[in-house]
Every structure is written in C-alpha cells, then in structure tokens.
Amino acid sequence: TRRMSKVRRINKTINVYSAHQVVPIDFRLPADLVECFSMQAIVVGRIPTDRSVIPSFGEYSLEFGAKKVHPINFIVPLLNRSTAQHKPHMLPLGVSLKGSPMLTGFYRDLGEQELKNRAFTPYKIRFTFHCYSS
C-alpha cells in the first residue's frame, strides 16, 4: 500500500564522450523499491551554447523489469541554467518494480554540438527516479 510506502529518489548518471555516441543503460535499482512513479533525465555539466534551451540534445529509451515494460522513449533537453526559465518536468510512470529491479536501455547523442561547429564537450546525463519503497 502506498500510504505505508516511503518515497525515494534514486539518481543514476551516464557519461557521453563523443557526438552520436550510444551509451548502454544498465542500472540495478534498490531491491526494496516496489514502484517507480516518475522520472526525469537532464544534461548535467557545462556545454558551450548561446541558446538557453536546446530542445533535442539526445534521446533515451528505457525498459523496466528485465525488458518486460518499455514505457519510455524520450528526448533529453539541454538547459543553460544561467538563462533557462524552466526545468524539465518529471515524466509520470507508474511502473511496478516487484520481481526485477533491473533498468536497461540506451542514450544516444543527437550531434547537436556538431551543428555549432565546435569541438565536442563531454557531458553527463542524470536520470532521477521517484519511487515507492516497501
């Protein structure tokens, strides 16, 4: 029951080192989690840009429960925190984690930095999951 559950925030981070790189995602979430009710993916680190928001910096696809549930295929925006006026919203999920705490998938850089004729700046993507624990 959710009233008896605790809400936990779990952060997982991946590194991106080159344009168009595909980074496998293979996270084991804590075994006491019973449901993931929302998540967020954002670029962390400084990327040289003159725009406050790059709406399609990369994309990711996630599968929960040993590839039994595939609820997410989404774009990751880049926010320049000094000029951005908003933060990306949490995506609602409602995915049961009972039986398998594995989270798999991939992140793919869309080459946005190449379009600006700049040297590639490595960056990180932080995934934040809001979950109920037992």
Side-chain angles (χ1 to χ4, degrees):
T1 65
R2 288 185 184 169
R3 280 187 230 166
M4 302 300 277
S5 299
K6 298 176 188 157
V7 173
R8 290 188 53 196
R9 185 173 73 191
I10 308 297
N11 290 313
K12 300 288 185 175
T13 304
I14 60 170
N15 295 298
V16 182
Y17 298 108
S18 62
H20 303 286
Q21 180 180 358
V22 175
V23 180
I25 295 171
D26 191 11
F27 300 144
R28 177 173 294 280
L29 297 172
D32 68 327
L33 300 181
V34 295
E35 181 183 342
C36 188
F37 63 88
S38 67
M39 71 150 300
Q40 176 187 51
I42 61 170
V43 176
V44 292
R46 297 188 178 272
I47 305 294
T49 181
D50 51 1
R51 296 191 297 181
S52 60
V53 178
I54 297 174
S56 57
F57 203 73
E59 66 178 351
Y60 63 94
S61 179
L62 296 178
E63 298 173 325
F64 290 84
K67 302 184 180 184
K68 293 177 186 165
V69 181
H70 183 198
I72 304 169
N73 192 331
F74 211 73
I75 295 293
V76 177
L78 171 69
L79 300 180
N80 182 333
R81 294 190 183 185
S82 63
T83 58
Q85 299 298 312
H86 73 282
K87 294 182 178 181
H89 297 287
M90 298 297 286
L91 296 174
L93 291 180
V95 173
S96 174
L97 299 174
K98 293 177 184 176
S100 180
M102 288 306 297
L103 177 63
T104 58
F106 70 88
Y107 171 82
R108 181 173 67 95
D109 179 82
L110 296 176
E112 181 68 30
Q113 291 185 59
E114 283 184 336
L115 298 176
K116 300 296 180 191
N117 294 321
R118 294 188 175 128
F120 187 86
T121 301
Y123 62 95
K124 296 178 181 190
I125 300 291
R126 183 177 61 226
F127 295 92
T128 302
F129 302 92
H130 286 105
C131 304
Y132 295 116
S133 63
S134 54

